[in-house]
Amino acid sequence: MTAFDLVLRSRRTVLPEGTGPAAVCVTDSRISAVLPYDAPVDGVEEWDLGGLALLPGLVDTHVHVNEPGRTAWEGFASATRAAALGGVTTLIDMPLNAIPPTTTPAALAAKRAAAQGQCHVDVGFWGGAVPGNADDLAPLHEAGVFGFKCFLADSGVPEFPALDSAQLEAAARRIAAFDGLLIVHAEDPGLLAGHQAGTGFGDFVASRPDAAETSAVATVLDAARRSGARVHILHLSSAEPLPLIAAAKADGVRVSVETCPHYLVFDAEHVPDGATEFKCCPPIRSGANAERLWAALASGLIDFVVSDHSPCTPDLKAPGTGDFAAAWGGIASIQLGLSAVWTEARDRGWSLDRVVDRMARRTADFVGLSHKGRIAEGCDADLVVFDPEAVFRVDAEALAHRNPVTPYHGRELTGVVRATFLRGVELGVTPHGSLLRRSAATRAAALS
């Protein structure tokens, strides 16, 4: 009888072909076999989870860690610990708001040095495309970044300026030359400039209208058509650009799109005026808009869900003032994404494997990590024990995020992560995550 390092048995194992009973066997950090639940196998360590679900670790491709430079906002130790507690075993870090931003190979080296030895989960890095760094794009690609982020509107930090439409197309052509990936914060600065932010939530939403997203998405799609580049629309909050995206996909434009838990869970009608913890850019919109996002996620028009975990220190949320114009825009949520999305999806009749597909397999494939995001022989043994029926109330103070600020505070969610394994080792207080590089074997491939 073969002896494995670890055997996890669950009657609700989420496999690529669906959910069912299985014994997941691990040897040397990889899944070495997926067998029937009651298969007679030995493991050095064995867990019988019974009716608890066994999921692949989630892959979150949109996380702002902010270290070095703004580690007080969030650092690698706290962000990756929170990720592990939320069932995320791989994250890809955004090129801002750290100082320096990841726009040169030297800055990437500084990022990696800061992360070394601190990560509870596996971490990869995006590069940035900003005015003046066109000659750094290919070297960053060769150094292993997974793609390049740019803004079309003000990023909120001076060291990461936006691209205009001509610079966007120039960057797209450079990136297309080595078949890289350009990911875009798509809001039209001209349309934003015509609106005053206002202090109340309603005024803030009006200051970042649907039209600003629609116009910017059209600009990105036009650049992709002309350059042949692979492009990705970040954190889509408005449903209005969806017809443009559908037409572009039908025409063969290499475009993918994400949305975030906060756009699926919250709605503008129920955000109090003074609750600046709800501020994010683009903003949370109406409940009717959220339903259109859910429909697009169900159809596959929206490819997947990621956190856009973008925390800050409490003072930057302008607490006590209710001033949405002054508050930092970003939502802390990496520890809560799975539970938040599952809570809403379950009420809509979604199966757990369908949620996992949008938060693990598709995100892993998006960044070319085909050995992650699924429970299959040969894949990394990144595994999550999840109780889909357990209910809890969010306490911001109890989260592992560096700062206890989140709009989920006090909200009742369904689904609790009971344990997380990274390459077959249960995650605890000692970090053992790896720093990932894009390579020929893990080259980002277009979603099918």
Side-chain angles (χ1 to χ4, degrees):
M1 185 180 296
T2 302
F4 299 97
D5 297 336
L6 172 69
V7 177
L8 296 172
R9 302 178 194 268
S10 169
R11 297 191 183 279
R12 300 169 75 175
T13 304
V14 176
L15 302 169
E17 60 270 21
T19 299
V24 178
C25 306
V26 178
T27 304
D28 294 332
S29 80
R30 296 278 180 131
I31 297 170
S32 49
V34 180
L35 303 173
Y37 174 82
D38 56 359
V41 295
D42 285 336
V44 174
E45 184 179 358
E46 293 197 39
W47 292 43
D48 192 333
L49 306 175
L52 294 178
L54 183 62
L55 321 179
L58 304 190
V59 177
D60 191 338
T61 59
H62 194 147
V63 180
H64 295 265
V65 176
N66 307 331
E67 184 175 3
R70 291 191 175 98
T71 310
W73 295 18
E74 187 72 282
F76 286 103
S78 52
T80 59
R81 176 68 176 152
L85 291 169
V88 175
T89 53
T90 301
L91 65 84
I92 312 296
D93 172 62
M94 284 291 166
L96 74 164
N97 303 300
I99 302 173
T102 317
T103 54
T104 66
L108 175 63
K111 264 277 189 183
R112 287 188 170 131
Q116 192 68 47
Q118 292 203 74
C119 298
H120 292 268
V121 302
D122 287 352
V123 175
F125 302 94
W126 295 108
V130 296
N133 85 325
D135 290 340
D136 291 302
L137 299 178
L140 277 166
H141 179 75
E142 290 304 312
V145 299
F146 284 82
F148 301 89
K149 180 177 185 176
C150 70
F151 281 73
L152 299 187
D154 181 18
S155 73
V157 292
E159 64 275 3
F160 202 96
L163 301 180
D164 63 26
S165 57
Q167 291 167 333
L168 171 73
E169 186 159 340
R173 291 187 183 281
R174 287 266 190 151
I175 292 165
F178 49 76
D179 197 25
L181 172 62
L182 180 63
I183 65 175
V184 186
H185 180 125
E187 289 182 283
D188 186 319
L191 291 176
L192 297 183
H195 297 81
Q196 294 296 318
T199 60
F201 182 71
D203 294 332
F204 167 64
V205 175
S207 76
R208 304 189 86 101
D210 297 82
E213 282 193 83
T214 303
S215 174
V217 167
T219 297
V220 174
L221 295 176
D222 286 345
R225 284 188 176 95
R226 289 191 291 265
S227 67
R230 286 183 58 218
V231 297
H232 176 73
I233 307 299
L234 295 164
H235 47 48
L236 187 74
S237 84
S238 172
E240 292 303 309
L242 289 171
L244 295 178
I245 295 166
K249 287 188 172 188
D251 289 345
V253 176
R254 298 196 296 167
V255 58
S256 53
V257 59
E258 69 187 38
T259 193
C260 305
H262 39 277
Y263 300 131
L264 300 170
V265 171
F266 301 118
D267 61 73
E269 293 89 340
H270 294 93
V271 175
D273 260 359
T276 54
E277 64 270 22
F278 285 86
K279 181 177 178 179
C280 55
C281 301
I284 294 163
R285 303 191 188 275
S286 70
N289 179 83
E291 291 304 321
R292 292 177 66 191
L293 296 180
W294 273 106
L297 186 64
S299 72
L301 180 55
I302 293 176
D303 295 279
F304 49 76
V305 182
V306 289
S307 69
D308 189 11
H309 177 68
S310 185
C312 64
T313 52
D315 60 296
L316 292 178
K317 281 295 189 181
T321 69
D323 188 347
F324 274 83
W328 172 259
I331 286 178
S333 63
I334 194 169
Q335 190 171 334
L336 301 168
L338 173 59
S339 299
V341 174
W342 170 238
T343 299
E344 295 296 317
R346 184 174 185 258
D347 289 346
R348 288 167 170 76
W350 282 48
S351 62
L352 186 56
D353 51 280
R354 201 176 185 196
V355 170
V356 169
D357 176 70
R358 268 57 167 197
M359 300 184 78
R361 184 191 66 81
R362 292 192 185 200
T363 47
D365 288 352
F366 170 61
V367 288
L369 297 174
S370 59
H371 59 295
K372 292 184 177 289
R374 70 210 80 207
I375 296 177
E377 188 173 334
C379 290
D380 283 358
D382 300 344
L383 302 164
V384 175
V385 179
F386 186 66
D387 187 340
E389 278 76 48
V391 176
F392 70 103
R393 192 170 298 279
V394 177
D395 177 2
E397 293 283 351
L399 298 174
H401 304 161
R402 182 174 290 274
N403 295 292
V405 180
T406 179
Y408 291 95
H409 177 68
R411 193 175 185 92
E412 188 174 273
L413 299 178
T414 300
V416 173
V417 173
R418 299 297 187 192
T420 303
F421 294 81
L422 180 67
R423 292 188 300 280
V425 177
E426 186 180 5
L427 291 170
V429 296
T430 303
H432 67 277
S434 296
L435 303 185
L436 306 177
R437 296 172 185 260
R438 180 210 55 81
S439 68
T442 60
R443 185 177 61 86
L447 289 168
S448 57

